[in-house]
């Protein structure tokens, strides 16, 4: 591999490290992201227990990824707003509120996916437990 390509490859690999560092820092500083991490563990556990289909796993994975992405973007927006507008400004507050609203909307949509995926098999299991 020519030296120029090797340098670019190393840069590309290093960018993954920066991305993981950003996720790690957000997990350490953002309580909402830690909540989403716990919810992710619960969703994966429920999916395994209920033995959901591959299609349902795909829906759950997309929902989890979308919520995490929304939360990370919200964190980035809040951080940037705090940098450029350390004092209160109505537009800064509006930007933060809209970003938080995006997370809320995505979390609600993921909740609907969770109900649609887990509702029927969970109901079946609960009825089976009740009748035994």
């Amino acid at each position: 591999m020519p030296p120029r390509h090797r340098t670019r490859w190393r840069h590309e690999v290093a960018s993954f490290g920066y991305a993981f560092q950003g996720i790690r820092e957000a997990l350490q500083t953002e309580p909402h992201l830690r909540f989403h991490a716990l919810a992710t563990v619960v969703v994966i556990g429920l999916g395994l227990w209920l033995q959901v289909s591959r299609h349902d796993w795909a829906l759950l994975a997309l929902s989890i990824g979308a919520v995490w992405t929304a939360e990370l973007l919200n964190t980035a927006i809040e951080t940037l707003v705090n940098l450029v507008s350390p004092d209160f400004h109505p537009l800064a507050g509006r930007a933060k509120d809209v970003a938080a609203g995006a997370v809320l909307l995505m979390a609600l949509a993921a909740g609907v996916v969770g109900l649609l995926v887990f509702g029927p098999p969970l109901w079946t299991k609960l009825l089976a437990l009740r009748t035994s």
Side-chain angles (χ1 to χ4, degrees):
M1 188 178 314
R4 192 178 86 173
H5 293 301
R6 206 171 316 149
T7 302
R8 179 169 171 78
W9 183 80
R10 284 184 185 156
H11 175 73
E12 295 297 323
V13 170
S15 68
F16 281 100
Y18 299 136
F20 284 117
Q21 179 180 339
I23 294 169
R24 187 173 39 256
E25 287 177 12
L27 274 167
Q28 292 171 349
T29 60
E30 299 299 320
H32 292 121
L33 197 58
R34 288 193 295 274
F35 172 79
H36 294 306
L38 176 62
T40 297
V41 171
V42 169
V43 166
I44 291 170
L46 263 176
L48 292 170
W49 182 58
L50 295 172
Q51 299 176 340
V52 298
S53 69
R54 281 184 8 182
H55 177 264
D56 287 343
W57 275 117
L59 293 172
L60 294 171
L62 285 171
S63 296
I64 290 167
V67 170
W68 275 73
T69 300
E71 188 64 59
L72 288 168
L73 287 172
N74 179 50
T75 299
I77 289 168
E78 286 184 354
T79 302
L80 188 58
V81 167
N82 290 342
L83 175 67
V84 300
S85 183
D87 298 325
F88 176 78
H89 190 283
L91 290 177
R94 182 175 175 199
K96 288 176 154 186
D97 292 347
V98 169
V103 176
L104 178 61
L105 192 61
M106 192 63 250
L108 290 173
V112 170
V113 170
L115 286 173
L116 292 171
V117 168
F118 293 139
L122 191 55
W123 185 254
T124 301
K125 281 210 184 247
L126 291 175
L127 286 178
L129 287 173
R130 189 174 146 205
T131 59
S132 58

